[in-house]
Amino acid sequence: MKKSLQQRLAILSDAAKYDASCASSGTVKRDSARTGGLGSTEGAGICHAYAPDGRCISLLKILLTNFCIFDCAYCINRSSSNVERARFTPEEVVWLTLEFYRRNYIEGLFLSSGIIRSPDHTMGEMVRVARDLRTVHGFRGYIHLKSIPDAAPELIEEAGLYADRLSLNIELPTDAGLGRFAPEKRPEGIRRAMGELRRKIEAADDPTLQTKRRKRFVPGGQSTQMIVGADGADDATILKTSARLYSGYGLKRVYYSAFSPIPDASRALPLIKPPLVREHRLYQADWLYRFYGFGVEEITGATGGMLDLDMDPKLAWALANRQDFPVDVNRAERERLLRVPGLGTKTVTSILSSRRFRRLRLEDLARLGVSLRKVRAFIEAEGWVPLRLADRADLKALFAPKPEQLSLL
């Protein structure tokens, strides 16, 4: 019996929850109030939903189908899996997107798919969804397409004309891991597709001789996702792979998705999932690499390749490098201030701006929203010297979370 639209929606939206890369940041602002059509990439009036593990799912996040000709061991939709299968037509995805948007449930569409028939056939149907939304219905909301790596370049290029962001999943942090768990996927093919997409994005951003207007092509850039905890790679390996992807392919984001055990999984996969806080620490370390000037070796060098789960990577680095503290907030340059635990990029900008007019005291930092508990051991300010707090042997214990009694099962 053919499944109803509601039954297929339940199956294909549940199957999409394993994909973490659903942020709508980084694209251009569009609003139907000014340009006509329907939808908006801005947040006003948009309801956000949250998955049970806390992830934001404000986009309609579904698969076109969970049929797949590949048999990747870590994927619940692999061809040998006995999960219930379903499929949408492109017209049904378009209709669902418009109806969900009109009810203010979503701000856009995140569309992925298992591979059916061939990469070109699957990518062609996904492009059809985006093209119809943009050209037939005037949809101005956000569209994120999960590209198929081996699809024809002209299909990827056409997708870029309609989508705000394209992503290609690198899947696992090492080629050896991908070869072991997904032998049908070729890591060199994924990287080649990333490189071609980067060249197209950069070419579209160059002004022409006729006009200064840039061609609209994937304004939100490209992103990828790595599964954490499936192949035994440590955090240092994961972060080094991320660094290469950022520098080599100009990615906007690398998403980390903690491995979730799946039914009837391969014996080679772990039986339990890694702690979700590991995923969180990787995002924090990723932020330090991209915006705070840290090298990957600095973040993981003193921890044996794995991040400390009890404290954030910046605090862990500061405690391992106490000789670099205290930092004088009234004299230190921006790069040193960014290494103080508790000081973010916006706060450092505010400090640099404020100290042009007066010497800052602890009370001034508190007015800027700084947690004095976090920073007082690592800084000097007008009227405050930490009195060798950074040399205290129990300093780590001051910041470690308090022990909690586990509940009875």
Side-chain angles (χ1 to χ4, degrees):
M1 181 185 296
K2 184 179 179 181
K3 296 181 178 65
S4 69
L5 186 65
Q6 187 171 359
Q7 288 172 321
R8 284 180 285 152
L9 183 60
I11 294 170
L12 294 174
S13 59
D14 183 70
K17 69 185 178 185
Y18 298 96
D19 206 321
S21 50
C22 65
S24 61
S25 59
T27 188
V28 296
K29 293 182 177 180
R30 294 190 303 274
D31 191 345
S32 57
R34 295 191 297 270
T35 60
L38 177 71
S40 169
T41 56
E42 300 178 48
I46 302 300
C47 297
H48 289 76
Y50 293 87
D53 59 2
R55 292 193 182 102
C56 173
I57 50 172
S58 59
L59 309 177
L60 174 59
K61 187 177 173 186
I62 54 174
L63 300 186
L64 187 65
T65 177
N66 62 348
F67 284 92
C68 192
I69 59 176
F70 285 1
D71 197 33
C72 307
Y74 51 78
C75 181
I76 195 170
N77 299 317
R78 65 190 186 279
S79 59
S80 61
S81 174
N82 59 1
V83 296
E84 194 173 13
R85 306 286 178 171
R87 180 180 178 180
F88 285 129
T89 65
E91 291 76 16
E92 287 172 332
V93 176
V94 170
W95 184 83
L96 283 169
T97 303
L98 297 176
E99 292 302 310
F100 270 74
Y101 189 85
R102 290 189 177 108
R103 286 163 174 78
N104 207 24
Y105 295 158
I106 60 167
E107 58 181 321
L109 171 67
F110 177 96
L111 184 62
S112 184
S113 179
I115 299 175
I116 46 175
R117 296 188 189 176
S118 69
D120 283 354
H121 175 82
T122 309
M123 193 69 210
E125 294 219 325
M126 296 174 73
V127 170
R128 190 172 149 199
V129 170
R131 183 175 60 232
D132 285 0
L133 281 170
R134 295 289 193 221
T135 62
V136 178
H137 301 280
F139 186 67
R140 298 289 188 269
Y142 181 83
I143 297 178
H144 182 156
L145 296 183
K146 183 60 65 69
S147 306
I148 309 298
D150 292 327
E154 53 270 24
L155 285 172
I156 302 288
E157 187 165 2
E158 185 177 4
L161 299 177
Y162 307 117
D164 293 278
R165 175 168 286 186
L166 296 178
S167 55
L168 290 141
N169 280 359
I170 197 74
E171 306 286 11
L172 293 171
T174 64
D175 289 359
L178 196 62
R180 182 182 178 196
F181 293 110
E184 293 156 309
K185 292 191 173 178
R186 297 176 295 111
E188 65 276 10
I190 297 172
R191 289 193 290 268
R192 183 173 59 251
M194 284 182 176
E196 290 174 356
L197 186 55
R198 177 183 185 172
R199 284 192 290 275
K200 287 184 172 67
I201 292 172
E202 291 175 346
D205 199 41
D206 288 336
T208 65
L209 294 176
Q210 287 80 24
T211 175
K212 292 182 179 179
R213 291 188 63 183
R214 270 55 168 185
K215 182 180 177 182
R216 186 187 183 282
F217 185 82
V218 201
Q222 63 170 326
S223 60
T224 191
Q225 173 179 296
M226 269 191 285
I227 301 170
V228 176
D231 63 346
D234 62 17
D235 293 339
T237 302
I238 293 170
L239 291 170
K240 286 176 183 174
T241 299
S242 296
R244 286 195 295 272
L245 292 172
Y246 282 125
S247 61
Y249 303 99
L251 297 188
K252 290 289 186 181
R253 287 291 301 274
V254 175
Y255 293 89
Y256 307 98
S257 178
F259 168 71
S260 298
I262 55 178
D264 303 322
S266 165
R267 293 181 180 178
L269 290 170
L271 296 175
I272 59 173
K273 62 181 179 181
L276 201 58
V277 70
R278 184 184 175 192
E279 182 182 306
H280 179 58
R281 296 296 182 225
L282 283 168
Y283 278 117
Q284 290 178 318
D286 182 289
W287 222 252
L288 292 182
Y289 168 76
R290 296 166 61 204
F291 302 112
Y292 288 78
F294 283 82
V296 171
E297 293 77 12
E298 288 183 287
I299 302 170
T300 58
T303 57
M306 294 297 288
L307 298 172
D308 191 332
L309 298 182
D310 290 332
M311 63 180 61
D312 71 75
K314 192 175 178 183
L315 177 58
W317 176 86
L319 292 175
N321 295 275
R322 300 182 190 188
Q323 70 281 1
D324 291 348
F325 299 95
V327 172
D328 189 339
V329 296
N330 288 299
R331 302 180 62 183
E333 63 274 23
R334 178 181 178 83
E335 289 73 21
R336 290 203 66 199
L337 289 172
L338 283 173
R339 294 190 169 230
V340 176
L343 297 186
T345 54
K346 290 184 178 177
T347 303
V348 168
T349 300
S350 298
I351 289 174
L352 294 174
S353 176
S354 301
R355 75 184 190 186
R356 290 184 297 170
F357 305 101
R358 57 179 295 182
R359 291 185 61 79
L360 300 178
R361 307 176 67 86
L362 284 181
E363 306 88 81
D364 298 319
L365 296 180
R367 292 190 192 98
L368 292 175
V370 176
S371 168
L372 297 185
R373 175 180 170 273
K374 284 186 176 179
V375 304
R376 67 168 69 234
F378 301 101
I379 62 168
E380 288 181 9
E382 184 71 15
W384 168 256
V385 177
L387 297 178
R388 301 177 64 81
L389 273 178
D391 292 333
R392 287 177 52 168
D394 62 342
L395 186 57
K396 183 174 181 179
L398 295 178
F399 298 100
K402 295 180 180 178
E404 296 181 7
Q405 186 177 33
L406 298 177
S407 60
L408 291 172
L409 296 177

